[in-house]
Amino acid sequence: MTTSPRALPAPVQSVLDTVHARNPHEPEFLQAVHEVLESIAPVLETHPRFVEDGILERLVEPERQIVFRVPWVDDTGRLQVNRGFRVQFSSVLGPYKGGLRFHSSVNLSIIKFLGFEQVFKNALTGQGIGGAKGGSDFDPHGRSDAEVMRFCQSFMNELYRHLGEHTDVPAGDIGVGAREIGYLFGQYRKITNRHESGMFTGKGVQWGGAEVRTEATGYGAVFFVQEMLGVQGDSLDGKRVAVSGSGNVAVYAIAKAWQMGATPVTASDSSGYVVDDAGIDLEVLRQVKEVERGRIHDYAARRPSARFVEGARPWEVPVDVAIPSATQNELDQADALALVGNGVRAVAEGANMPTTPDAVHALQQAGVLFGPGKAANAGGVATSALEMSQNASRQRWSFGDSEAKLRAIMGGVHDAAFTSAERYGRPGDYVVGANCAGFERVAHAMQAQGVI
Ligand code: NDP
Ligand code: 2IT
């Protein structure tokens, strides 16, 4: 179960060369494309028509890219100008679907990598949703609610014309949570004079949001770990778990890990990490991060059993399971080797592409179960699709029913990746399995719908 580099078939290499020539300054996008194209060779051997029909050439080029100015006025009366993005990658399986990220690092490369990943992730869920991503280099940290509202309104003043329940349906991502979604949805409603519930997911449960959407990505990642361990006759019960991040995904990964009998011992943010040998106290974590919008060292200050390690990442802590849930490329080869040295059994990506390619290789070489984000964090967008269903039929499903659906979906995602890896001769390689299964669904639909 390794991803050893091997020579690519000539037509795939030619597409990759074109992608490099066309997007020379987009390292994250190139990284994401490499990972997919390197692993789908077995599908192309089985279906040579995918190559002849130019599926690859079209897949690597977004259907539409929107880049726009977002002017707004801060609390001191100063004009601020940010850049807004929406990359509508593929609508072959359904309306464009994917989150919005507000973070100072956001640029076209990052939005394109996320949009590209989203196409295959969404296909893997088996739901009728296409792939997109958007966002801005606006950083909500330290901004007042009024500033965040004015920014969101200005952002939507442009983006609204590209959205709609049958066209493009955003949701949250880094820096976009319940507060931002409320302001964005409100401005869309104001401009269009339509209460179009299904045009945004992750809404408040009082006004059209689905139960379990908030919890879904973190819960889903833990369900995915349980599925991987289950195949080996093992479970999460009694395991020590390292989680990075302390946002939406991390908090609910920690919550579900506790519920499954494991002990989550770390959380982090961009300043460093905390390790708590008594296990992360969820109430203290949520008070610090969600209520006070504070920093992760504030957690350690309130817990005698915890310590804060500044400027480092949690992968040096001995654990059985790791769930990176902060951002891209946050677990590199040295981190992977440290995890392996400490006997890690499974790593599942709660974040999008948090593990560098050489780190994935090191983990798989060592026989560690590795769940790529396209599969492991698909619970968020899958539950977004459940929200769209409820909005379309004006129904509300209970928390229990919705969580049972999420669990079944994650089982299906796991099985699709697992059986695809076996079918294509790479048993146990969830990277190949997820990419091949997602790609096949998208490619068949593109073939059926002609050259558009
Ligand atoms: P949040 O904004 O809620 O939390 C992000 C967390 O990651 C914060 O703790 C943040 O710390 C940390 N972080 C962000 N950027 C960096 C960085 N450059 N270096 C170190 N730490 C960083 O976002 P989410 O929890 O929603 O998203 C986390 C990851 O999960 C992202 O990769 C996202 O794409 C992915 N994801 C999210 C889904 C969702 O439903 N929300 C669905 C699927 C994937 P700080 O406050 O210091 O910035
Ligand atoms: O990366 C992701 O899958 C998300 N941020 C969630 C997307 C969604 O539309 O729910």
Side-chain angles (χ1 to χ4, degrees), residues 69-85:
R69 181 173 70 198
V70 189
W72 57 285
V73 177
D74 70 18
D75 285 348
T76 68
R78 248 188 86 211
L79 171 80
Q80 302 277 346
V81 178
N82 286 98
R83 186 170 283 181
F85 302 89

Side-chain angles (χ1 to χ4, degrees), residues 48-267:
R49 280 283 308 277
F50 288 162
V51 175
E52 291 154 25
D53 291 350
I55 299 292
L56 298 183
E57 284 87 339
R58 285 183 280 150
L59 252 183
V60 295
E61 192 62 24
E63 288 179 12
R64 190 175 296 104
Q65 307 185 52
I66 302 144
V67 183
F68 52 101
R69 181 173 70 198
V70 189
W72 57 285
V73 177
D74 70 18
D75 285 348
T76 68
R78 248 188 86 211
L79 171 80
Q80 302 277 346
V81 178
N82 286 98
R83 186 170 283 181
F85 302 89
R86 186 71 177 167
V87 174
Q88 299 177 328
F89 233 104
S90 171
S91 57
V92 75
L93 292 178
Y96 303 112
K97 184 81 196 89
L100 296 174
R101 175 177 292 193
F102 293 169
H103 192 270
S104 51
S105 64
V106 163
N107 57 34
L108 192 58
S109 173
I110 287 178
I111 298 300
K112 279 174 68 179
F113 115 65
L114 290 163
F116 186 71
E117 295 276 292
Q118 200 82 48
V119 174
F120 305 99
K121 182 197 305 187
N122 294 3
L124 202 52
T125 68
Q127 316 257 24
I129 39 180
K133 202 80 184 189
S136 174
D137 57 3
F138 172 74
D139 181 0
H141 288 106
R143 290 292 177 191
S144 69
D145 286 353
E147 288 177 317
V148 170
M149 182 177 75
R150 287 195 295 276
F151 173 80
C152 288
Q153 291 175 341
S154 178
F155 185 84
M156 191 52 86
N157 284 346
E158 170 58 32
L159 193 63
Y160 84 94
R161 70 189 86 245
H162 306 288
L163 305 181
E165 63 183 341
H166 301 298
T167 307
D168 185 347
V169 183
D173 194 80
I174 292 177
V176 178
R179 174 182 58 172
E180 290 75 17
I181 292 172
Y183 295 147
L184 290 161
F185 182 82
Q187 186 69 358
Y188 180 87
R189 186 171 59 73
K190 168 91 179 161
I191 297 170
T192 60
N193 194 31
R194 284 164 63 88
H195 192 114
E196 195 185 324
S197 296
M199 61 68 59
F200 218 110
T201 61
K203 301 179 294 295
V205 288
Q206 301 308 321
W207 45 278
E211 295 285 358
V212 185
R213 175 61 190 90
T214 306
E215 295 83 358
T217 310
Y219 277 20
V222 174
F223 291 149
F224 196 87
V225 173
Q226 182 76 14
E227 293 284 343
M228 290 198 297
L229 290 172
V231 172
Q232 311 296 319
D234 200 352
S235 82
L236 267 161
D237 196 32
K239 299 278 190 294
R240 266 169 67 95
V241 180
V243 174
S244 63
S246 48
N248 173 262
V249 179
V251 162
Y252 291 102
I254 288 169
K256 186 49 75 178
W258 275 121
Q259 289 174 22
M260 307 281 279
T263 306
V265 292
T266 69

